[in-house]
Amino acid sequence: MAKPRIPPANGDSPDRWEAQLRKGALEMAALASLWQGPLYGLEIIRFLESQSSLVLAEGTIYPILNRLKAEDLLAAEWVEVETGHPRKYYSLTESGRHRLRRMADAWMSFSGGLSRLLGPVLERQEIAP
Amino acid sequence: MTDNEQIASYLTALRVHLASHGVAEQDEIAREIETHIRDSVENSVLSVGAVLERLGSPQELADQYREGFLVGKASRRLSPLVLLRGSLRWSAGGLFGILAFVVGLAGYFLGVGLVLFGLIVPVWILTHRALHPPASLWTGMASALLLCLIGGLMLLLTTLFMRASLRTFQRWQSPL
């Protein structure tokens, strides 16, 4: 099944609500992708594609990483690799880890509540009352 | 156009749209985006043109950097110009931003006006000393000092308000 793409921030989308929802979760997803260790930008994009349904316009992730770094939630360093060119690796800072834990707690509580609310909606096939 | 020329042209346009950032910040962003482009081409069957298309236009990409950067930077600064620019960026997104910008502008104008008036009054009193009895001279000086203090306090409160507003805006942008 084809995964929906998140359009760039200024792009028009027929399903704007879903795009906004996914975009809002992207900051948390970017932090979560670094929970197990440092990754560089393209690895984060690939990680999000493989581990979640967050397939994003590639230009979206870098400004978010930049902002998270400015907020001291992420650290970044250029690392020389044997093959190829240097890459900018991102890792969670201590405050980034704390923030992510709080986000994850709030998200689980929020999504759990909404799932209960939406359960009956998904059980009924017909839309008319 | 060769691959390298396409990449160089994209990065040049990106830098132009990132003109409000410092040169070091522009270098850092351009270096990372160039790495992304080259990595994407090396690790997939995509052409440079296709990778650039997936990145979005240089202006779209720069806009995304600028929005987070300007507001984030402004919320930590004291400069009225930077704070007003940050709130102006926010005002494009809604009523609260417009309100913050208008309140900030009015606060700075009023604060600067009071301080200037407070500075001008003593000069006027001293140059027209003959018109005033000694008692009213001291009252006038004290009033001028009070105006300066109120103006300064207004500038301080406006700055604190603007910083707090921009931090609130940043929190609204974050999902949680």
Side-chain angles (χ1 to χ4, degrees):
Chain A
M1 193 178 75
K3 294 173 180 175
R5 282 176 65 84
I6 297 175
N10 296 336
D12 288 331
S13 163
D15 203 347
R16 196 156 172 248
W17 177 81
E18 187 177 343
Q20 288 297 319
L21 182 67
R22 287 170 175 278
K23 192 164 174 284
L26 194 52
E27 192 174 301
M28 181 173 60
L31 290 171
S33 69
L34 297 167
W35 185 255
Q36 291 177 336
L39 297 173
Y40 61 92
L42 192 57
E43 281 183 329
I44 294 172
I45 293 168
R46 301 283 177 259
F47 184 84
L48 293 178
E49 281 178 2
S50 65
Q51 300 294 316
S52 69
S53 56
L54 282 168
V55 181
L56 50 141
E58 294 186 355
T60 306
I61 193 75
Y62 292 101
I64 288 173
L65 293 172
N66 200 47
R67 195 173 72 232
L68 294 172
K69 183 171 161 278
E71 289 177 33
D72 293 326
L73 300 175
L74 294 182
E77 65 170 336
W78 287 92
V79 177
E80 295 275 352
V81 285
E82 285 180 15
T83 54
H85 30 256
R87 289 170 178 142
K88 191 176 180 181
Y89 277 82
Y90 292 90
S91 58
L92 288 170
T93 61
E94 198 56 37
S95 61
R97 287 189 168 269
H98 285 299
R99 170 78 78 91
L100 181 56
R101 281 304 292 262
R102 285 207 311 276
M103 283 177 158
D105 286 343
W107 179 270
M108 294 310 286
S109 157
F110 177 72
S111 62
L114 271 185
S115 295
R116 281 193 298 279
L117 185 69
L118 294 173
V121 178
L122 295 173
E123 280 167 15
R124 288 186 66 163
Q125 294 300 309
E126 73 277 14
I127 291 174
Chain B
M1 202 186 276
T2 66
D3 286 354
N4 282 338
E5 285 170 345
Q6 279 187 75
I7 295 171
S9 165
Y10 186 92
L11 295 176
T12 303
L14 181 62
R15 281 173 179 278
V16 169
H17 291 295
L18 288 171
S20 57
H21 294 235
V23 175
E25 182 82 13
Q26 286 177 34
D27 287 345
E28 183 78 6
I29 291 170
R31 187 181 179 198
E32 183 170 34
I33 295 299
E34 183 176 3
T35 303
H36 171 87
I37 297 165
R38 295 194 186 282
D39 271 342
S40 297
V41 172
E42 284 168 15
N43 297 316
S44 71
V45 293
L46 295 172
S47 66
V48 168
V51 171
L52 296 182
E53 196 176 324
R54 287 163 71 114
L55 270 174
S57 75
Q59 182 169 2
E60 284 171 351
L61 186 54
D63 282 347
Q64 293 182 68
Y65 272 106
R66 214 166 33 232
E67 188 163 326
F69 176 78
L70 191 57
V71 175
K73 186 177 83 169
S75 68
R76 295 188 296 275
R77 297 284 284 272
L78 292 172
S79 158
L81 281 180
V82 175
L83 288 166
L84 284 171
R85 276 179 64 201
S87 68
L88 194 60
R89 163 70 56 175
W90 177 20
S91 70
L95 185 65
F96 286 108
I98 295 170
L99 195 67
F101 178 73
V102 171
V103 170
L105 200 61
Y108 283 127
F109 265 112
L110 198 60
V112 170
L114 285 172
V115 170
L116 284 178
F117 193 62
L119 291 174
I120 289 169
V121 166
V123 176
W124 190 86
I125 290 175
L126 289 174
T127 51
H128 298 78
R129 209 180 306 178
L131 300 175
H132 303 280
S136 73
L137 198 135
W138 287 111
T139 310
M141 289 294 196
S143 303
L145 181 66
L146 192 63
L147 282 177
C148 281
L149 287 175
I150 292 172
L153 187 66
M154 183 146 280
L155 289 175
L156 179 69
L157 288 176
T158 305
T159 301
L160 292 176
F161 166 78
M162 297 295 280
R163 287 172 57 135
S165 301
L166 289 167
R167 283 202 199 98
T168 306
F169 176 54
Q170 274 189 302
R171 277 201 296 276
W172 288 357
Q173 280 191 313
S174 299
L176 295 165

